[in-house]
Amino acid sequence: MTTTTELSATTLLRFATAGSVDDGKSTLVGRLLHDSKSVLADQLEAVERASASRGQQGPDLALLTDGLRAEREQGITIDVAYRYFATPRRRFILADTPGHVQYTRNMVTGASTAELTVILVDARNGVVEQTRRHAAIAALLRVPHVVLAVNKMDLVGYQESVFAAIAEEFTAYATDLGVPDVTAIPISALAGDNVVEPSATMDWYGGPTVLEHLETVPVSHDLAHCHARLPVQYVIRPRTPEHPDYRGYAGQIAAGSFRVGERVTALPSGRTSTISGIDLLGEPVEVAWTTQSVTVLLEDDIDVSRGDLIVPTKDAPETTQDIEATVCHVADQPLAVGHRVLLKHGTRTVKAIVKDIPSRLTLDDLSLHPHPEQLVANDIGRVKIRTAEPLPMDSYADSRRTGSFILIDPADGTTLTAGMAGDSFAAPVPAKGGPGDPADDEGWDF
């Protein structure tokens, strides 16, 4: 029997779009929504009016996603725009991310939960620096599927040789970074070629359209067979006449599955017990799966509180106070060695100190600048962090949910940095430059 969760896992795809400025990301998204009949009539009328007021003959489909006034005035994407649409074969959550270099952090936000990233390339320009940046970010975030959409094929006469050269260059680069799956598709977002409908002018291409690939790509985010993890969000103690002794631990299962009778451990304390019951939507169930919000009951009255992580005893991660991770700095104020921060991992937030910044990644050529001392907005680098309390941290390569964290400014609650624990790229990237001196950590030890 197929469960509701298993059905959802096969019919929902989260994907992001990325590319350089004016490569046509917003137009592609607009075309995808328009041609798949996912645009309401009043939305299309509003776009037609806005396009006419700007002197355009037809509707500018990019306006379906570029909703901010500054975006429309400048003709660029600034913020991440999320769109929800569906076809008979699959449901989609789409993140349209900006192309400007200064908005690299926005792409990290949009692609952090994506199972697929569509990277656009202008057929006239080929693979450029920003294309390589976006491929590197997709590799860092362990996005399992990448689509190279070679756009504006109408402006190069729909030449197969142009597409083939770009596809070969990009695929080789992405493969070297460790991207496991790359699919190249020649398109014209403006004319609609190979977006939803096959192109009548590129009969030399026999692959899927963009929508067909999105509908059929294997979705690997069903984490039922991964390390089971339940971050505790709330302890439920009703203390009513009907439930005088009820004590349940509520949260959303981040990965894997839990079963009644299973031996589990609460981290970081390390106390163990056995699951005596699982409540889902107020009803008892025998098994609960990834993404379900549940309440777990234990046979023993052990101390479990918000921020703890319930895991199978036979598959418990190690707890540590020393974390080395790849991070993307998203705040305007720099992150420097010695900074005191808050680290939020799952439902737990602890005090931490930045002990060292071993390197900063230069995305242009993937070289490593050793010991930069600080990271500024949009920088990607390696950091070493010491936490005040031990954390059960998975490697990001094993779990994108429980291997990720954010650093927060304790003064005002601003998000500073997004982190991915463990190794960075799936494929090694050689360091360049000489060694630097380690930072002075005196006075900052926990």
Side-chain angles (χ1 to χ4, degrees):
M1 179 177 178
T2 302
T3 66
T4 302
T5 303
E6 292 171 326
L7 180 62
S8 299
T10 60
T11 59
L12 174 66
L13 175 70
R14 298 174 183 267
F15 73 101
T17 60
S20 300
V21 178
D22 295 330
D23 276 356
K25 296 182 305 302
S26 297
T27 302
L28 170 63
V29 174
R31 173 65 64 183
L32 197 59
L33 296 174
H34 179 271
D35 289 6
S36 63
K37 297 179 174 55
S38 301
V39 180
L40 298 176
D42 58 341
Q43 292 176 311
L44 187 58
E45 290 174 4
V47 167
E48 290 173 343
R49 287 195 302 270
S51 302
S53 67
R54 298 166 62 176
Q56 295 173 301
Q57 296 297 321
D60 183 356
L61 297 180
L63 298 180
L64 286 170
T65 55
D66 289 338
L68 299 178
R69 178 179 297 177
E71 292 179 325
R72 296 193 175 193
E73 289 175 350
Q74 299 181 52
I76 63 173
T77 301
I78 296 174
D79 198 6
V80 180
Y82 290 94
R83 291 293 178 269
Y84 308 86
F85 69 101
T87 67
R89 303 175 73 176
R90 180 169 279 174
R91 293 178 294 118
F92 302 95
I93 300 177
L94 181 158
D96 184 27
T97 68
H100 278 73
V101 175
Q102 63 265 39
Y103 300 131
T104 300
R105 55 190 173 184
N106 298 60
M107 189 212 164
V108 173
T109 300
S112 61
T113 57
E115 290 94 38
L116 181 147
T117 297
V118 179
I119 299 179
L120 269 77
V121 170
D122 188 325
R124 299 169 300 176
N125 302 327
V127 176
V128 297
E129 278 188 13
Q130 193 69 339
T131 310
R132 289 191 287 270
R133 282 193 188 94
H134 289 151
I137 291 171
L140 281 170
L141 294 174
R142 308 286 174 141
V143 179
H145 304 283
V146 171
V147 172
L148 173 69
V150 182
N151 193 23
K152 305 187 180 181
M153 288 295 296
D154 53 314
L155 301 182
V156 295
Y158 296 104
Q159 296 180 59
E160 181 181 6
S161 58
V162 173
F163 166 73
I166 295 172
E168 182 179 3
E169 179 183 357
F170 179 88
T171 301
Y173 182 81
T175 302
D176 286 344
L177 291 176
V179 176
D181 177 49
V182 180
T183 301
I185 304 175
I187 69 169
S188 170
L190 189 63
D193 292 287
N194 285 336
V195 178
V196 172
E197 300 295 335
S199 172
T201 53
M202 288 185 280
D203 54 2
W204 45 263
Y205 172 73
T209 65
V210 173
L211 182 60
E212 183 182 354
H213 184 69
L214 294 176
E215 288 181 324
T216 57
V217 66
V219 176
S220 59
H221 72 282
D222 181 3
L223 302 174
H225 302 293
C226 296
H227 309 287
R229 304 288 186 259
L230 174 63
V232 177
Q233 186 168 357
Y234 190 70
V235 179
I236 298 178
R237 292 291 305 275
R239 292 175 177 154
T240 61
E242 295 82 6
H243 304 284
D245 300 317
Y246 187 99
R247 184 184 181 93
Y249 309 103
Q252 184 185 51
I253 299 177
S257 61
F258 290 89
R259 183 181 298 272
V260 173
E262 184 175 13
R263 195 71 180 169
V264 293
T265 298
L267 297 173
S269 69
R271 297 181 178 91
T272 62
S273 184
T274 300
I275 297 178
S276 60
I278 301 175
D279 289 345
L280 174 65
L281 299 177
E283 298 294 331
V285 295
E286 287 295 313
V287 184
W289 307 85
T290 306
T291 73
Q292 288 183 325
S293 295
V294 299
T295 302
V296 170
L297 293 86
L298 302 179
E299 288 184 356
D300 304 292
D301 188 16
I302 64 175
D303 182 13
V304 180
S305 58
R306 174 180 169 83
D308 287 359
L309 187 69
I310 295 177
V311 302
T313 301
K314 61 183 179 182
D315 186 27
E318 293 184 2
T319 59
T320 181
Q321 288 182 260
D322 295 294
I323 298 169
E324 185 166 359
T326 300
V327 301
C328 177
H329 191 60
V330 300
D332 291 328
Q333 64 267 38
L335 180 74
V337 173
H339 273 184
R340 295 186 177 187
V341 295
L342 297 177
L343 187 151
K344 187 176 188 303
H345 173 248
T347 56
R348 191 178 191 86
T349 302
V350 300
K351 295 178 180 179
I353 293 173
V354 179
K355 301 291 284 184
D356 190 17
I357 303 178
S359 61
R360 183 182 70 243
L361 177 67
T362 303
L363 287 175
D364 301 344
D365 59 1
L366 295 183
S367 62
L368 298 176
H369 176 73
H371 293 277
E373 297 299 325
Q374 68 175 17
L375 299 175
V376 299
N378 297 308
D379 274 352
I380 293 176
R382 297 286 291 174
V383 300
K384 292 182 178 179
I385 301 165
R386 175 79 174 177
T387 60
E389 305 169 29
L391 291 175
M393 184 80 68
D394 285 304
S395 168
Y396 187 79
D398 294 331
S399 173
R400 295 171 76 189
R401 288 284 300 276
T402 54
S404 60
F405 61 88
I406 60 173
L407 300 182
I408 301 170
D409 187 338
D412 57 11
T414 301
T415 298
L416 301 173
T417 308
M420 298 154 279
D423 296 331
S424 49
F425 291 100
V429 177
K432 298 181 181 180
D437 295 327
D440 180 13
D441 296 325
E442 185 177 355
W444 294 95
D445 289 331
F446 282 118

